[in-house]
C-alpha cells in the first residue's frame, strides 16, 4: 500500500490541523454547535439549545521541543481549555 506523506506524524502538527478543522466545522454548523471557552459559556450554549464543545489536547508528546509558555498561549488563543 502507498503511504500518504501529505502530513507529518508530529503530534502538535496534527493537533493544529484538528483544531483548525474543528473551527471550520463549528463555523459551518453554528446554528446547532458552539465552542465553549468557560464553564459559564458552556452553560449558556446548552441553555440556548446548542451542543457545547470543549476543546482539549491529548497527545504523547505535548509541546515537545517547544517553549511551553508560548505554546500554551498559542493553544489557549485557539480555544483549548
Amino acid at each position: 500500500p502507498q503511504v500518504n506523506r501529505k502530513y507529518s506524524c508530529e503530534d502538535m502538527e496534527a493537533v493544529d490541523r484538528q483544531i483548525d478543522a474543528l473551527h471550520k466545522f463549528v463555523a459551518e454548523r453554528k446554528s446547532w454547535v458552539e465552542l465553549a471557552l468557560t464553564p459559564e459559556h458552556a452553560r449558556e450554549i446548552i441553555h440556548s439549545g446548542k451542543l457545547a464543545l470543549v476543546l482539549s489536547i491529548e497527545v504523547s508528546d505535548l509541546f515537545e521541543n517547544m517553549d511551553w509558555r508560548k505554546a500554551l498561549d498559542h493553544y489557549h488563543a485557539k480555544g483549548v481549555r
Side-chain angles (χ1 to χ4, degrees):
Q2 193 169 8
V3 177
N4 182 348
R5 304 247 186 244
K6 184 176 179 181
Y7 302 117
S8 80
C9 294
E10 295 296 320
D11 282 344
M12 299 315 295
E13 289 179 30
V15 166
D16 280 318
R17 285 193 308 274
Q18 292 171 21
I19 290 171
D20 293 344
L22 178 68
H23 281 284
K24 181 180 177 187
F25 176 86
V26 169
E28 292 171 350
R29 292 156 180 85
K30 58 186 164 194
S31 65
W32 62 271
V33 64
E34 192 172 337
L35 183 61
L37 301 176
T38 66
E40 295 80 16
H41 189 211
R43 284 190 284 277
E44 290 173 15
I45 294 167
I46 293 165
H47 288 301
S48 74
K50 294 181 180 181
L51 175 66
L53 297 179
V54 178
L55 196 55
S56 66
I57 299 173
E58 289 188 37
V59 295
S60 299
D61 297 315
L62 181 66
F63 304 157
E64 186 178 29
N65 302 319
M66 300 171 80
D67 176 322
W68 71 268
R69 290 177 197 249
K70 286 182 183 177
L72 187 62
D73 289 342
H74 169 76
Y75 289 104
H76 189 268
K78 287 186 135 199
V80 175
R81 298 297 183 261

